[in-house]
Amino acid sequence: MPIISAPHEFNTDNLYVDLAPSFEIPLYLKCEGFNFSGSIKQKAALEMVEMAEKCGLLGFDSVLVESSSGNLGVALSMIAASKGYRFVCVTDSRCNPATRQIMEALGTEVQVVTEPDPETGFLGARLDRVRRLTAGDERYVWLNQYTNANNWLAHHRLTAPEIAEQFPELDLLFVGAGTTGTLMGCARWLKEHRPEVRIVAVDSVGSVVFGGRPERRMIPGLGSGVRPPLLDESVVDDVVLVPEAETIRACHRLAGRGFLFGGSTGTVVAGAARWFADHGASRDRAIAVAIAPDLGERYVDTVYRPDWVREHYGSVEAEAGAV
C-alpha cells in the first residue's frame, strides 16, 4: 500500500466496471472518483495549480479563485488546504449541498450566485462574480479552468494514455462535455496516437456546448451555458445529447446494481446507451470505454432523493432493459 504525505499524491484511476451484464452494451466504465477529492477534476486542478506555481504566479499570500459547479471546487479546496493557500469558490444554487459542505470543511470560502445571467445563465453570472473579485487585487489568482490549457493537458498527459494502455484495441471513447478539458485532452491524444478510435462527446440537453438551445438544467457537472473556449469540434466524431431524466434513470439503474455514481457519470452512461441504440450493427463488435468522472455520495440530496426527483422530473423510474 502507498504511503503519502499529501492528499493529491493518491489516485486510483485504473479501475474499470464492465457494464455489459447490467446495461447489455459492450462498455467499460473508467472510474475516476477514487481519490481524496472524489472526481476526475483532481487531475486538472493539480495540473493548473502546479503550473501556476512553476510560472511564479502563486506566492505565500495568494488567494486562489475559481468558478465551479462542484467537483473542481472540491479538488481545488483539497489542494489549497494541502499547499496552504486560501481559496474562494464561486458556485451557484444548483451546487449539491454536500459538495458545498465539503468545500467549507476544507476551509474554502464558498460564494453562491443565486440569479442566472439572462443570456449566459448561471455560468455567466459566476464568471462575472469572479471578475469582480479579482479586479485590482494581485493576491487573487484566477486559474480559469475555462481557458487554461493545463485543464486539457492533464488528460492528454495522463487519462488518454492510461486508457490506450489498458485497451490496445479500443474502438470507441465516450467523454462528457463541460469545460471540455477531459474531452479535448483525450481526443487530441487519441487523434495523434490512435486515430482509428471514434470520439463520442456526451452533453446534456439544455447545454450550449455544441450549439444546442439553452434550457434550465438542474444537475451540475456536464453541460454549459457558455460555449467553452477550449472546445475544438474537429477532434470530435459524434455528439450525443442526454435529457436529465435519462441521466437520473441511468444513475438509479447503476445504483440498483450497487454502483453509486454521480450525475456526470449517469449522463455519460446514458449517452453511450443512446449511441449504441442508434448503431446496433456495430455494438457487439465494439470495444468501448466511457469515462466516469465522479461518484454518487454528493448527489444523495438530489439525484437519489425521490421527492427532489419527482419535483423536477416527475416519474423517471428505471425500466428493465432501458436507461
Side-chain angles (χ1 to χ4, degrees), residues 164-243:
E165 182 178 5
Q166 185 72 26
F167 295 92
E169 303 299 322
L170 183 68
D171 297 305
L172 288 158
L173 180 65
F174 295 90
V175 190
T179 66
T180 67
T182 306
L183 174 63
M184 288 298 97
C186 291
R188 285 182 172 134
W189 191 93
L190 288 167
K191 292 302 179 186
E192 293 166 13
H193 301 279
R194 301 278 296 279
E196 72 280 5
V197 176
R198 193 163 192 84
I199 307 298
V200 183
V202 181
D203 194 13
S204 300
V205 169
S207 165
V208 305
V209 171
F210 294 98
R213 185 179 66 184
E215 298 177 11
R216 187 187 74 157
R217 293 175 292 112
M218 297 301 299
I219 301 174
L222 300 187
S224 177
V226 177
R227 183 174 171 83
L230 296 178
L231 176 62
D232 175 5
E233 291 191 56
S234 70
V235 294
V236 176
D237 297 301
D238 294 323
V239 177
V240 181
L241 298 180
V242 177

Side-chain angles (χ1 to χ4, degrees), residues 4 26 58 63 113-114 117 122 126-127 176 224 226 231 284:
I4 64 173
L58 294 175
V63 182
V113 172
T114 57
D117 182 274
F122 276 114
R126 293 194 333 241
L127 295 178
S224 177
V226 177
L231 176 62
D284 293 332

Side-chain angles (χ1 to χ4, degrees), residues 231-277:
L231 176 62
D232 175 5
E233 291 191 56
S234 70
V235 294
V236 176
D237 297 301
D238 294 323
V239 177
V240 181
L241 298 180
V242 177
E244 288 191 330
E246 289 188 18
T247 291
I248 292 171
R249 277 195 290 269
C251 286
H252 288 190
R253 189 168 177 182
L254 286 162
R257 275 71 174 181
F259 295 109
L260 194 70
F261 283 105
S264 297
T265 298
T267 302
V268 174
V269 171
R274 273 187 166 236
W275 191 93
F276 278 111

